[in-house]
Amino acid sequence: MKYIAKGLVEQGSTEHILKIQRGGHTFQLTGIQAGLWFNGRFGFAKAEENNHWHRKELRHLQRMGLAEVTEDSSAGEYRALTQCVLIPAKSGKLRLPLNKQEAQTLQWLQEAGLRLTMAELVFLEEHGVKPVPELLGEENSQALTEAIYTQENIQDHILEAQMEHAFCRDRMVKAVLGLLKKRRVLVL
C-alpha cells in the first residue's frame, strides 16, 4: 500500500505526540499513526501490506484526511496528488539546488496568483505554457485560468482525467515530489 501524508506539523509536537493541522483542525497522532504519517511526509511511502495494524491505521489516517492511499504506479501517484493541495513552503536557511523542471514548477506554485492543482501543472507543462509575467500574480489569475480551461475540460474532474494520460505526467509528478523532498512545497 503506497501513500502520501497531508497536513502541517504544529509547534508543540514531540517525538511521541504529533500534532497535525489540516483544514482548520488539529489532529493528535501517536504510535503507529504518527510513524506512518511521518514516513509519508516528504514523499510516497509504503505501508507493510501484511501488517494488519499498519493497514488499519493508514485507512484511519485516510478517513481523517491526513493521507492519500494509492496503488503502486506512477498513475496512482498522479491521482493521489490530484487530491492534495500543493503550497510553497516558507524557505529555510539550507536550500538544496533545484533542477530546471523543479524550478519552473516552484515558480508556478509561488507566483501564479491562485492555487494550482496537480492537473493544472501537468496541463501547463504539456502545452508548453511558461510562467511569463502576463500569467503570474493575482491580477493575471483570470488570464491563467483561461489559458488552462476550455469548453472541453471545464467540467468537474475532466482536466484531471485528461492529464492522467499526458505525456509529461510522470515528469511533473517527479518534479513535485522533488520539491516535496527538498522541502520547498507542502502537501495539504
Side-chain angles (χ1 to χ4, degrees):
M1 218 181 260
K2 201 170 192 180
Y3 69 97
I4 192 164
K6 301 184 333 185
L8 302 172
V9 177
E10 282 192 352
Q11 284 188 338
S13 292
T14 67
E15 62 183 80
H16 301 292
I17 300 174
L18 198 54
K19 295 178 184 174
I20 307 300
Q21 195 279 324
R22 183 165 186 279
H25 301 287
T26 298
F27 301 89
Q28 189 168 296
L29 305 178
T30 59
I32 294 172
Q33 285 182 356
L36 287 168
W37 188 90
F38 201 77
N39 288 343
R41 181 178 182 196
F42 295 116
F44 283 92
K46 283 190 174 186
E48 295 177 34
E49 281 289 328
N50 54 357
N51 186 321
H52 167 74
W53 293 109
H54 280 210
R55 287 194 326 268
K56 180 181 178 215
E57 296 301 337
L58 186 54
R59 292 290 182 208
H60 188 75
L61 287 173
Q62 187 177 25
R63 283 191 301 276
M64 289 189 292
L66 298 179
E68 283 298 323
V69 178
T70 187
E71 70 274 5
D72 193 5
S73 70
S74 57
E77 288 180 354
Y78 165 79
R79 283 192 293 275
L81 288 169
T82 64
Q83 301 304 307
C84 300
V85 177
L86 307 170
I87 61 168
K90 290 182 173 62
S91 56
K93 293 177 183 159
L94 178 65
R95 292 179 162 212
L96 295 171
L98 303 178
N99 65 40
K100 184 179 176 185
Q101 187 71 60
E102 291 169 341
Q104 181 172 296
T105 303
L106 184 59
Q107 183 179 7
W108 275 121
L109 291 170
Q110 289 175 325
E111 301 176 25
L114 54 100
R115 290 225 193 277
L116 291 172
T117 67
M118 187 68 212
E120 290 166 341
L121 288 169
V122 173
F123 179 92
L124 292 167
E125 180 66 19
E126 183 78 358
H127 291 86
V129 180
K130 301 294 180 201
V132 294
E134 300 81 37
L135 297 175
L136 300 175
E138 281 186 41
E139 65 277 6
N140 295 316
S141 61
Q142 185 63 36
L144 178 57
T145 301
E146 290 172 5
I148 297 170
Y149 289 98
T150 65
Q151 288 295 90
E152 289 80 39
N153 66 14
I154 194 73
Q155 300 294 324
D156 283 346
H157 306 293
I158 297 294
L159 185 65
E160 288 84 354
Q162 288 176 344
M163 294 303 103
E164 183 172 340
H165 304 288
F167 179 74
C168 69
R169 178 200 71 201
D170 293 348
R171 186 169 65 242
M172 287 305 299
V173 167
K174 183 178 178 182
V176 168
L177 292 176
L179 290 168
L180 184 60
K181 184 176 183 177
K182 293 174 182 176
R183 300 175 187 197
R184 300 297 285 274
V185 297
L186 301 170
V187 175
L188 301 179

